[in-house]
Amino acid sequence: MKPTLLALLTVASLSLSSCSKTKDPVEPGDTQAGFVSGKVVDSQGKPIAKADIVADDTRYYNSNVLGQTDAKGNYKLEVGNGSFYVRGTVKMKYEGQNYVLDLFVEDDGAFDGSEGAVKNMTLKLSGERTGNFGDDGVYGGKIEVFTPIGFYDTENVELTLEPVAPLIDGTTGKKIVQKPDYLYIDDVPLGKYKITARYVPENKPMKVRVRNVGSFQNSLTTLFVPAYAGATGRYKMDIEVSEPE
């Protein structure tokens, strides 16, 4: 009995999804048929080693080729025929916590594997994502502001965030003074911040804490955590404020 076309495609898909091919990197800028290559750097242009790279076949679910960057931040994956897009992540340890950060892909979009492509990537702590293949939103963390029951004027609660250490990528952070849009402050570079709050209409301070953790204090020093259990690439803070004093 001859195998059906569906069976053959299924076997091919499973075979591709399990493979991991990393070739000796070519120099950035070179395009080679059947391969995708590129360079990964941080926000200061320094190469990032051991970044995880995935070339995903757009035709089949969970069909991908895996690899990592070398010491110079270069990578090269053999992809063969098909329509692919590329994603990258980097693992970092910061203030005792583990983070997995998504990389910004230059010229993000599908490419023909038979023609090859160069896809360079950069570590960004803020700014819009590409919006392609589900990569929506921003790179920075989200802060959600919680207020006492019966207090609805969240948009007039002003938070001041002062970096107390270099940001997660080693750069110097900036002081942020901002009111939430409804409940949220978006796109905050990941770092360790001292946070204070005030109610703007009355210019009165508000005490703060991590939501439902400990007692309210005049200020709070804290980090971003995964947006939900098991999340990678998406981080947030849940900040609770007291009544104006």
Side-chain angles (χ1 to χ4, degrees):
M1 180 178 179
K2 294 183 178 180
T4 65
L5 177 59
L6 177 61
L8 290 173
L9 288 174
T10 302
V11 171
S13 175
L14 290 173
S15 175
L16 181 59
S17 67
S18 62
C19 68
S20 176
K21 301 180 181 179
T22 304
K23 299 295 182 180
D24 295 333
V26 294
E27 289 300 317
D30 292 346
T31 300
Q32 184 177 346
F35 293 85
V36 60
S37 62
K39 188 177 186 69
V40 177
V41 298
D42 64 15
S43 58
Q44 302 175 80
K46 298 178 181 178
I48 297 178
K50 295 184 178 180
D52 292 311
I53 311 298
V54 179
D56 203 332
D57 193 325
T58 64
R59 302 168 299 170
Y60 308 114
Y61 173 73
N62 198 29
S63 298
N64 46 53
V65 183
L66 311 177
Q68 282 191 330
T69 56
D70 65 12
K72 296 181 179 179
N74 296 327
Y75 74 92
K76 181 182 178 184
L77 305 180
E78 183 176 1
V79 293
N81 295 329
S83 174
F84 293 85
Y85 66 93
V86 175
R87 289 290 176 264
T89 58
V90 57
K91 297 182 179 71
M92 305 185 76
K93 196 172 188 70
Y94 179 71
E95 294 289 330
Q97 292 193 27
N98 294 317
Y99 293 83
V100 179
L101 305 184
D102 296 329
L103 296 168
F104 170 76
V105 183
E106 298 176 10
D107 188 27
D108 189 25
F111 65 93
D112 186 339
S114 64
E115 296 179 358
V118 172
K119 299 288 183 177
N120 298 317
M121 305 185 198
T122 305
L123 176 62
K124 288 190 173 185
L125 298 191
S126 63
E128 294 286 335
R129 293 171 180 257
T130 67
N132 295 327
F133 305 105
D135 188 33
D136 298 316
V138 294
Y139 290 100
K142 178 189 289 289
I143 297 177
E144 185 170 0
V145 180
F146 294 84
T147 55
I149 295 175
F151 185 98
Y152 303 110
D153 196 13
T154 309
E155 292 183 328
N156 273 314
V157 174
E158 181 185 82
L159 294 189
T160 298
L161 290 79
E162 298 181 76
V164 297
L167 300 177
I168 194 170
D169 65 349
T171 59
T172 301
K174 297 180 180 180
K175 180 179 179 180
I176 298 171
V177 180
Q178 192 169 335
K179 294 184 290 185
D181 181 2
Y182 181 50
L183 299 175
Y184 306 103
I185 297 174
D186 287 319
D187 206 22
V188 178
L190 297 189
K192 185 177 183 180
Y193 292 93
K194 175 185 175 183
I195 301 173
T196 55
R198 74 182 182 106
Y199 184 51
V200 175
E202 299 176 5
N203 193 27
K204 289 184 177 180
M206 307 173 83
K207 292 188 175 182
V208 292
R209 67 177 181 179
V210 173
R211 190 188 186 202
N212 297 329
V213 176
S215 58
F216 286 100
Q217 304 291 332
N218 292 328
S219 66
L220 165 70
T221 300
T222 190
L223 302 166
F224 285 90
V225 298
Y228 52 88
T232 60
R234 310 279 177 163
Y235 296 93
K236 71 175 298 191
M237 291 180 183
D238 289 341
I239 302 300
E240 188 175 0
V241 298
S242 68
E243 293 275 1
E245 295 186 338

